[in-house]
Amino acid sequence: MFDFTYFLDTATRLAPALPMTLFIAIFAFFAGLVLGLILAFIKLYKLPLLYPVALIYISFFRGTPLLVQLFMFYYGLPIFFRSLGFELDFSLIDALYYALLIFSLNSSAYLAEIMRSALLAVDKGQKEAALSVGMTHAQALRRIILPQAFMITLPNLLNFFIMLVKNTSLASIITVPELMGLADIESGRSSKFLEVYLMAALMYWALCVILETVFFKLESRLKKFRKAYA
């Protein structure tokens, strides 16, 4: 029988995991964005040696499930390093660090393609105009091209962040105590799986609705700038 009182009480038990969920998503988003920009430029300019590496990297992280990547790095890396003769105690490394690494690498592959498309969408005349007034390529990129690219692709970036928040639930597989990880612990302790997982689902939903509302207001405020860059 559904325990409604326990269901409501579960919210207070799971709430402490929300900061961890947001931390993983925010860290992975910004770390992935930095690396993704580097990969996007490598692909755009087809830099020798780095170009094929970037192609393989992006293809691998976009073409394999995130869950598989988590298992591969969390369980596979210690075995790989031991085979090379590194006698390190990997049990001392918190699972959170593995999660941050994998989520960042995975995000960078997707954000690389998002940013590459955005950079291609910026009118080439913008760069030519910047160079004609004496700007260097770096100045034109920093002051003209990148701001426009970010404004053009802003909805895609915000939607990706929301998707990333939901994907953090996979970190529970490697024992990271984010929202889903704490839900696993609580459900195992109480054996009231329906109440716990239903509350976890509602908390993810509420978090995404809040983010969507905030992002909608942000987009509305920046709408005039996006129109100017469209």
Side-chain angles (χ1 to χ4, degrees):
M1 187 173 180
F2 189 83
D3 189 338
F4 190 74
T5 302
Y6 176 76
F7 168 71
L8 294 178
D9 184 58
T10 302
T12 60
R13 299 174 185 269
L14 299 184
L18 288 175
M20 177 67 76
T21 296
L22 287 172
F23 171 69
I24 295 172
I26 292 170
F27 182 94
F29 180 81
F30 285 104
L33 186 59
V34 172
L35 182 54
L37 268 174
I38 295 172
L39 291 168
F41 285 122
I42 290 173
K43 287 194 68 176
L44 280 174
Y45 294 104
K46 296 185 177 180
L47 300 179
L49 300 179
L50 294 177
Y51 181 69
V53 174
L55 287 179
I56 295 172
Y57 175 95
I58 292 172
S59 177
F60 175 80
F61 280 100
R62 283 168 58 91
T64 56
L66 178 57
L67 181 60
V68 174
Q69 294 166 22
L70 284 166
F71 277 134
M72 182 182 67
F73 279 83
Y74 185 66
Y75 295 108
L77 272 183
I79 297 173
F80 174 73
F81 280 113
R82 287 194 191 100
S83 69
L84 296 178
F86 292 97
E87 295 300 327
L88 301 175
D89 188 358
F90 287 91
S91 63
L92 298 176
I93 302 176
D94 196 299
L96 174 62
Y97 296 114
Y98 287 98
L100 293 175
L101 173 64
I102 303 312
F103 276 95
S104 298
L105 295 177
N106 181 272
S107 297
S108 69
Y110 287 92
L111 291 170
E113 290 302 292
I114 291 175
M115 290 309 303
R116 185 179 68 88
S117 299
L119 289 167
L120 288 172
V122 177
D123 190 349
K124 292 181 179 179
Q126 298 284 336
K127 182 178 179 181
E128 294 172 358
L131 295 176
S132 68
V133 296
M135 286 189 185
T136 64
H137 286 278
Q139 289 174 330
L141 187 65
R142 187 176 70 254
R143 298 179 183 179
I144 307 296
I145 307 302
L146 279 178
Q148 293 190 48
F150 275 111
M151 293 307 303
I152 289 171
T153 197
L154 183 61
N156 293 328
L157 292 175
L158 300 181
N159 287 334
F160 180 82
F161 181 78
I162 291 175
M163 184 189 74
L164 187 55
V165 168
K166 292 183 289 185
N167 283 345
T168 59
S169 61
L170 292 174
S172 63
I173 298 296
I174 59 172
T175 71
V176 176
E178 44 69 65
L179 180 55
M180 190 61 186
L182 208 56
D184 287 338
I185 295 171
E186 181 62 26
S187 62
R189 185 190 64 80
S190 65
S191 296
K192 296 184 177 182
F193 299 97
L194 176 58
E195 290 89 340
V196 174
Y197 288 128
L198 178 57
M199 178 56 72
L202 292 177
M203 292 178 78
Y204 275 114
W205 185 21
L207 184 57
C208 288
V209 169
I210 292 171
L211 289 173
E212 287 172 357
T213 302
V214 171
F215 292 161
F216 177 77
K217 292 182 178 180
L218 177 62
E219 284 189 64
S220 298
R221 285 179 175 273
L222 299 175
K223 190 174 182 180
K224 60 181 180 180
F225 297 106
R226 289 189 61 233
K227 283 184 178 180
Y229 293 144

